[in-house]
Amino acid sequence: MNIKDIAKISGVGISTVSRVLNNSGVVSDATRARVLAVVKQHNYVPNSNARNLKKTQSNTIALMVKGISNPFFANMIKEVERQVHLRGCPLMIQHVEDGVDEIAAAMQLIKEKNLCGVIFMGGTYDHSEEEFRQLGVPFVLTTITTLKEVDPSAYSSVSIDDVKSAYKATSYLISMGHRNICFLARFPFRENTIGSRRLLGYKKALEEHGIEYDPALVEDCEYAPSFGFAAAKRLLNKNLGVTAMFAASDAIAIGAAKAVLSSGLSIPGDISVVGFDGIEMAEYYHPSLDTVSQPGVEMAHVSVEILFDLIAGETTNRHVVFESMLVKRGSSRKVN
Amino acid sequence: MNIKDIAKISGVGISTVSRVLNNSGVVSDATRARVLAVVKQHNYVPNSNARNLKKTQSNTIALMVKGISNPFFANMIKEVERQVHLRGCPLMIQHVEDGVDEIAAAMQLIKEKNLCGVIFMGGTYDHSEEEFRQLGVPFVLTTITTLKEVDPSAYSSVSIDDVKSAYKATSYLISMGHRNICFLARFPFRENTIGSRRLLGYKKALEEHGIEYDPALVEDCEYAPSFGFAAAKRLLNKNLGVTAMFAASDAIAIGAAKAVLSSGLSIPGDISVVGFDGIEMAEYYHPSLDTVSQPGVEMAHVSVEILFDLIAGETTNRHVVFESMLVKRGSSRKVN
DNA sequence: CTGGTCTGTCGAATCGTTTCGATACACATC
DNA sequence: GATGTGTATCGAAACGATTCGACAGACCAG
């Protein structure tokens, strides 16, 4: 069942059917009604391959996400899907494995599928401005850090201020009298990853309060409970008199909290714990975990909005920085 | 840059380029090498819209998932993505909102995009055999229950035995002396949802051990911590002398555990808690939660395998039922 | 030398759309 | 009656791939 069949059955020309379906050009009401009736009756759905081929562009959006099983991303992905869908566009979600070049992967998809836009989510990108420009379609970087210096006019982004957010959490702990605060995050050996940015905020807070930075208090760990657990165990074994832990994600914080509790220590009695992200599970942990919460769903929403603005012809790129929020639930307390 | 350009630059015919790219037909080694060099040099990627149009079928797979933000699905989705990707096929992930007809949505995508296969994940389907047959492409139902009786030869599926799994968990609690065991799950007013199947297993275990089924011990609640929390609160307020809680998902169990702990009761001292699914967070909860674990990643893997077998021409549908595993971690204990 | 087979290649038709230029008719204007 | 201006429609040429039938040359057999 193709447009030709519909045309024949409706007794009109092919182009008339096309104009009806696309609401383009003029068609008399009578003809329109007749065509639509036939379309509905036969459950006709236009073939998007043919359409995209002819138009040399599709309405498909791709979401390239690093860490698709990260619980913080789960709700963001859902929101992206919802918003894109709402605008009548199909969405392709592609998980980007560690070590693959996100831009190259997107590039391939763009050429292959004539994508009309891309959202990149999560990770640290090591690409030059030139590489971004070569994409050739609108795109948004959501919760992504870039290693190379890239002209802000060359891309759009949605993020929070990681340095400031980590500073906030650390200052909060310091204000409650903590001096030996450890920090758990993932930092590969390079600058400007999410982890290193948060480390920067952590250091800054220490410095401003005259506390010397001690590398022994910092543990490298992936964004998952099992790694947080192991890292916290290592730290506790060092016997450094830690009274507070700040984790760069709630998943880490949950693992770390488990390590603390299963060592027979209490939270916040012996050790205060603060996480990052604001996932639902952290709230229902016992004790409920304090965290620096990112407005993930809104961030996803705005990402889609920016993308569609760009697709609609908007030429100036936007950079939206959301405010993170320190959520106090009782997993930290004052010490003297 | 299209196939014509590549042909011209390579000094060969269009069809020769096509045969090189598809490894079809005979091409001399010299010609093949020359064409491939040109392809690489110009970063040429064939346009899949044109290809799919001509072939009247694409290699795209769709994943229709109900509850995309469910943490149990997160790893499954990742695995599906990985496996499909590994086979060189693009994946479209579509979240199915409550109340939309999954099959109709898939049908539309299939016609529109000439999909070559679909995986349906999660939810309860109210479709007739006829509707499944109309899909016209291979598909697999993963962790899905069907309301209507459907001939098993008409579809493939991957699942666990929900009745048996719930029976296992309930029997475990009973064997430790519990009599007042409550059950938390989502059951709309119909048979054969995941929730009602697990309820069946719960009832069966009670019955076999001569414990009368008390509807007051069953609470309806969505698969998320906040709902589990509220449901458990309601239960505790009834003062029914509950000593154990069995939740139909770990997310519910975590919420319920929070309710128990924040009421000043202890787990497993006062109340034993058993969840369902086997998500990582449940293990890192404190106390670590006992659960009936489903091998989600394997289930996803097998789903993709079955799907590709069907696409490859396999004509008999398969139904793989995985064994769930009772994981004891210490959130339940003996009572007398 | 003729005819047959094999190898490597090519051109053209085709997939199902969109869209541009053409056309046909009705009606008004001069 | 010739001309102009809408309005509603149509046909045909694309879009970029695949694939089938055709064909040229090499080689061998008779």
Side-chain angles (χ1 to χ4, degrees):
Chain A
M1 184 60 58
N2 57 25
I3 200 173
K4 214 160 159 185
D5 298 327
I6 298 293
K8 201 175 298 170
I9 298 173
S10 314
V12 300
I14 292 176
S15 50
T16 300
V17 176
S18 175
R19 269 165 13 240
V20 168
L21 293 171
N22 295 286
N23 273 322
S24 62
V26 268
V27 182
S28 70
D29 288 348
T31 309
R32 154 166 289 118
R34 191 149 34 101
V35 170
L36 286 178
V38 174
V39 165
K40 173 158 271 178
Q41 186 196 336
H42 292 78
N43 272 320
Y44 165 70
V45 179
N47 180 307
S48 74
N49 288 130
R51 163 178 293 171
N52 296 341
L53 172 59
K54 182 58 182 106
K55 309 227 289 190
T56 57
Q57 66 141 312
S58 76
N59 61 344
T60 303
I61 307 286
L63 173 65
M64 316 288 296
V65 42
K66 183 157 245 163
I68 198 172
S69 54
N70 179 334
F72 174 63
F73 285 152
N75 282 313
M76 294 183 74
I77 293 174
K78 182 178 174 184
E79 177 69 6
V80 167
E81 207 280 341
R82 217 174 69 87
Q83 289 297 331
V84 169
H85 212 77
L86 224 64
R87 289 166 171 82
C89 297
L91 177 73
M92 309 209 48
I93 303 181
Q94 191 155 139
H95 171 75
V96 183
E97 304 276 346
D98 268 347
V100 304
D101 181 336
E102 304 88 351
I103 300 286
M107 197 67 169
Q108 166 129 2
L109 260 189
I110 289 167
K111 282 189 190 173
E112 204 176 296
K113 301 272 174 191
N114 291 119
L115 297 184
C116 69
V118 182
I119 293 180
F120 295 93
M121 185 178 284
T124 300
Y125 285 22
D126 186 15
H127 296 89
S128 65
E129 186 173 325
E130 178 57 17
E131 288 174 286
F132 281 119
R133 289 199 193 280
Q134 276 175 352
L135 279 175
V137 300
F139 66 94
V140 180
L141 305 186
T142 304
T143 61
I144 283 175
T145 55
T146 52
L147 291 182
K148 297 213 169 75
E149 192 66 41
V150 179
D151 181 354
S153 73
Y155 68 103
S156 285
S157 73
V158 172
S159 59
I160 57 161
D161 184 332
D162 286 297
V163 178
K164 186 172 160 192
S165 302
Y167 173 85
K168 226 186 276 186
T170 313
S171 301
Y172 168 60
L173 287 166
I174 295 173
S175 76
M176 294 200 298
H178 295 277
R179 311 288 293 181
N180 280 342
I181 303 166
C182 67
F183 178 59
L184 310 175
R186 173 106 189 89
F187 1 72
F189 303 100
R190 24 178 217 188
E191 295 283 305
N192 239 359
T193 63
I194 294 265
S196 6
R197 288 237 189 123
R198 293 181 189 168
L199 176 63
L200 228 56
Y202 165 80
K203 283 182 176 172
K204 193 176 151 211
L206 294 182
E207 191 178 342
E208 283 194 9
H209 295 83
I211 302 174
E212 200 177 343
Y213 167 66
D214 178 1
L217 288 173
V218 170
E219 279 285 339
D220 190 354
C221 94
E222 311 241 351
Y223 296 100
S226 57
F227 293 94
F229 181 81
K233 279 277 184 211
R234 288 198 300 273
L235 262 166
L236 292 173
N237 287 336
K238 291 188 201 161
N239 284 317
L240 299 168
V242 164
T243 62
M245 293 185 170
F246 171 41
S249 92
D250 287 335
I252 295 178
I254 285 174
K258 178 73 178 172
V260 170
L261 295 171
S262 61
S263 302
L265 300 170
S266 83
I267 298 174
D270 299 307
I271 294 192
S272 295
V273 174
V274 176
F276 205 114
D277 283 348
I279 66 174
E280 197 182 8
M281 292 295 176
E283 183 180 348
Y284 287 93
Y285 204 77
H286 193 77
S288 295
L289 298 182
D290 295 356
T291 196
V292 182
S293 160
Q294 309 187 54
V297 173
E298 280 173 71
M299 290 168 79
H301 189 123
V302 167
S303 300
V304 175
E305 264 177 6
I306 294 178
L307 185 65
F308 275 87
D309 283 350
L310 292 171
I311 291 171
E314 175 63 53
T315 52
T316 57
N317 277 298
R318 286 164 63 195
H319 296 269
V320 179
V321 179
F322 276 85
E323 198 63 33
S324 62
M325 208 172 65
L326 184 61
V327 182
K328 305 174 188 176
R329 299 184 180 124
S331 68
S332 39
R333 64 150 201 155
K334 277 213 169 81
V335 293
N336 356 17
Chain B
M1 185 58 62
N2 57 26
I3 199 172
K4 214 161 159 184
D5 299 328
I6 299 293
K8 201 174 297 171
I9 298 173
S10 316
V12 299
I14 292 176
S15 50
T16 300
V17 177
S18 175
R19 271 165 11 241
V20 168
L21 293 171
N22 296 284
N23 273 321
S24 62
V26 267
V27 182
S28 70
D29 288 347
T31 309
R32 153 165 290 116
R34 190 149 34 99
V35 170
L36 286 178
V38 174
V39 165
K40 172 158 274 178
Q41 186 197 334
H42 291 79
N43 271 321
Y44 165 70
V45 179
N47 180 308
S48 73
N49 287 131
R51 163 178 292 171
N52 296 341
L53 173 59
K54 181 61 182 100
K55 309 227 288 190
T56 58
Q57 66 141 312
S58 76
N59 61 345
T60 303
I61 307 286
L63 174 64
M64 314 288 295
V65 43
K66 182 156 245 162
I68 199 171
S69 54
N70 179 334
F72 174 62
F73 285 152
N75 281 312
M76 294 183 74
I77 293 173
K78 183 178 175 183
E79 177 69 7
V80 167
E81 207 281 340
R82 216 174 68 87
Q83 289 297 330
V84 169
H85 211 77
L86 224 64
R87 289 168 172 80
C89 297
L91 177 73
M92 309 210 48
I93 302 182
Q94 190 154 141
H95 172 74
V96 183
E97 305 277 345
D98 267 346
V100 304
D101 181 338
E102 304 88 352
I103 300 287
M107 197 67 170
Q108 165 127 4
L109 260 189
I110 290 168
K111 282 188 190 173
E112 204 177 296
K113 301 272 173 190
N114 292 118
L115 297 183
C116 69
V118 182
I119 293 180
F120 295 92
M121 184 177 285
T124 300
Y125 285 22
D126 186 15
H127 296 89
S128 66
E129 186 174 326
E130 178 56 19
E131 288 174 287
F132 281 118
R133 288 199 193 281
Q134 278 176 351
L135 279 175
V137 300
F139 66 95
V140 180
L141 305 186
T142 304
T143 62
I144 283 175
T145 55
T146 51
L147 291 182
K148 297 212 170 74
E149 192 66 41
V150 179
D151 181 355
S153 73
Y155 68 104
S156 284
S157 72
V158 172
S159 59
I160 57 161
D161 184 332
D162 286 296
V163 178
K164 186 172 160 192
S165 302
Y167 173 86
K168 226 186 276 185
T170 313
S171 300
Y172 168 60
L173 287 167
I174 295 172
S175 76
M176 294 200 297
H178 295 277
R179 310 289 290 180
N180 280 342
I181 304 166
C182 67
F183 178 59
L184 311 175
R186 173 105 189 92
F187 1 72
F189 302 101
R190 27 179 215 187
E191 297 282 306
N192 239 358
T193 63
I194 296 265
S196 7
R197 288 238 188 120
R198 293 180 188 169
L199 175 63
L200 229 56
Y202 165 81
K203 282 182 177 174
K204 192 176 152 210
L206 294 182
E207 191 178 344
E208 283 193 8
H209 294 84
I211 302 174
E212 200 178 342
Y213 166 65
D214 178 2
L217 288 172
V218 171
E219 278 285 340
D220 190 354
C221 92
E222 310 241 351
Y223 297 100
S226 56
F227 294 93
F229 182 80
K233 279 278 184 210
R234 287 197 301 273
L235 263 167
L236 292 172
N237 286 336
K238 291 188 202 161
N239 283 317
L240 299 167
V242 164
T243 63
M245 293 184 170
F246 171 39
S249 92
D250 287 335
I252 295 179
I254 285 173
K258 178 74 177 171
V260 170
L261 295 170
S262 61
S263 303
L265 300 170
S266 83
I267 298 174
D270 299 306
I271 293 191
S272 295
V273 174
V274 176
F276 205 114
D277 282 348
I279 65 174
E280 197 182 10
M281 292 294 176
E283 184 179 349
Y284 288 93
Y285 204 76
H286 192 77
S288 295
L289 298 182
D290 295 357
T291 196
V292 181
S293 159
Q294 308 187 56
V297 173
E298 279 173 70
M299 290 167 80
H301 188 124
V302 167
S303 301
V304 175
E305 264 177 5
I306 294 178
L307 185 65
F308 275 87
D309 284 350
L310 292 171
I311 291 171
E314 175 63 53
T315 52
T316 58
N317 277 298
R318 286 165 63 195
H319 296 269
V320 179
V321 179
F322 276 85
E323 198 63 36
S324 62
M325 209 172 64
L326 184 62
V327 181
K328 305 174 187 176
R329 300 184 178 123
S331 67
S332 39
R333 63 149 203 156
K334 278 215 170 78
V335 292
N336 356 18

